[in-house]
């Protein structure tokens, strides 16, 4: 996938990594970047084409696909983190997290797949997480949603290869955006993560592990989960 000359649609482009995606895509020579958000008036990125898109609203997703028939590259960046657990959390909020982080990106891909096919195949990039691979008390709803999106990414990769569409996922730990603002822990700079992700796209990687924490979690998957979750092992 060559970014220069491509036509890109970025979801959740009004802040955080979405803004950095739009800026860096334009810097790399994208012919056009659709910067989308639920509230398009909140997007103030020079050089971008602003488009309304609420990934949880099927009609909004269909309208965006109709309004952007020249797209060759979709960046599924929009997402939320509610800080909910599964047993005590509000089920309505858990469903909203799944709607935004799983069903939303899936709807975007379903609507834009014919657009990408008509334009030669193109590419899809899904923003995943280290939490796609592990659970964390206090954020288990987010983990479930991101695990589902990871599995979805693998599934659509198989389903879209026949039309020539390349699908990649990028896994990240904590990034210095609004989503992680309340956590006093080391964080990656969003511009760095976006640069790594776009470098991975141009290199043809299907899985982009963008930071040390994600690499550490991925490496742990082949080990006994008791080593990763020692607090869950019954006392002898």
């Amino acid at each position: 996938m060559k970014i220069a000359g491509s036509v890109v649609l970025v979801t959740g482009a009004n802040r955080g990594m979405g803004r950095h995606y739009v800026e860096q895509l334009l810097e790399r020579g994208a012919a056009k970047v659709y910067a989308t958000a639920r509230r398009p008036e909140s997007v103030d990125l020079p050089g971008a084409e602003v488009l309304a898109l609420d990934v949880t609203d099927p009609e909004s997703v269909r309208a965006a696909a109709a309004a952007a028939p020249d797209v060759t590259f979709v960046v599924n960046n929009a997402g939320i983190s509610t800080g909910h657990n599964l047993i005590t959390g509000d089920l309505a909020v858990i469903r909203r997290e799944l709607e935004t982080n799983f069903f939303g990106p899936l709807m975007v891909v379903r609507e834009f797949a014919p657009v990408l096919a008509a334009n030669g195949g193109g590419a899809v990039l899904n923003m995943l997480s280290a939490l796609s691979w592990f659970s964390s008390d206090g954020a288990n709803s987010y983990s479930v949603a991101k695990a589902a999106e990871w599995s979805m990414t693998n599934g659509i990769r198989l389903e879209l290869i026949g039309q020539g569409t390349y699908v990649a996922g990028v896994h990240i730990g904590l990034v210095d955006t609004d989503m992680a603002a309340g956590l006093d822990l080391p964080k990656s700079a969003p511009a760095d993560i976006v640069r790594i992700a776009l470098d991975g796209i141009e290199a043809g990687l299907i899985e982009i592990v963008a930071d040390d924490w994600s690499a550490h979690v991925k490496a742990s998957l082949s080990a006994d989960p008791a080593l990763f979750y020692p607090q869950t092992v019954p006392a002898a």
Side-chain angles (χ1 to χ4, degrees):
M1 177 71 197
K2 298 301 180 187
I3 291 170
S6 64
V7 177
V8 193
L9 180 133
V10 180
T11 68
N14 58 318
R15 60 180 184 171
M17 282 192 293
R19 290 183 63 90
H20 287 279
Y21 269 114
V22 173
E23 291 168 350
Q24 292 192 31
L25 286 161
L26 290 170
E27 289 169 2
R28 291 181 185 231
K32 183 189 295 184
V33 180
Y34 291 100
T36 77
R38 285 185 298 111
R39 295 185 298 106
E41 68 276 9
S42 65
V43 180
D44 59 350
L45 292 160
E49 297 277 340
V50 180
L51 190 62
L53 175 55
D54 179 350
V55 300
T56 67
D57 180 350
E59 288 299 325
S60 177
V61 178
R62 280 192 285 272
D70 50 350
V71 166
T72 62
F73 179 17
V74 172
V75 179
N76 266 320
N77 167 76
I80 60 170
S81 178
T82 66
H84 265 51
N85 270 340
L86 300 172
I87 303 301
T88 58
D90 185 331
L91 276 175
V93 175
I94 293 169
R95 288 192 177 98
R96 181 164 63 89
E97 198 148 28
L98 281 160
E99 287 290 342
T100 306
N101 295 336
F102 170 68
F103 287 107
L106 177 57
M107 282 195 295
V108 170
V109 174
R110 286 167 63 98
E111 291 297 330
F112 276 93
V115 174
L116 295 173
N119 294 324
V124 174
L125 175 64
N126 286 341
M127 288 303 299
L128 305 174
S129 173
L131 281 162
S132 303
W133 292 326
F134 81 104
S135 296
S136 178
D137 193 8
N140 281 327
S141 176
Y142 183 80
S143 296
V144 167
K146 285 298 180 179
E149 189 183 3
W150 173 47
S151 184
M152 177 264 282
T153 301
N154 292 330
I156 64 171
R157 181 180 297 121
L158 296 172
E159 295 181 30
L160 295 178
I161 190 62
Q163 69 172 43
T165 299
Y166 153 53
V167 176
V170 55
H171 292 267
I172 57 174
L174 286 177
V175 182
D176 193 9
T177 63
D178 291 348
M179 188 178 289
L183 299 172
D184 186 18
L185 293 166
K187 301 168 189 174
S188 299
D192 291 343
I193 296 296
V194 169
R195 184 179 66 255
I196 291 167
L198 295 180
D199 286 348
I201 286 289
E202 294 207 299
L205 302 180
I206 64 172
E207 183 175 86
I208 303 160
V209 180
D211 56 24
D212 291 342
W213 178 239
S214 297
H216 165 70
V217 175
K218 182 181 179 182
S220 77
L221 295 178
S222 61
D224 183 344
L227 298 175
F228 203 89
Y229 305 108
Q231 71 275 31
T232 68
V233 178

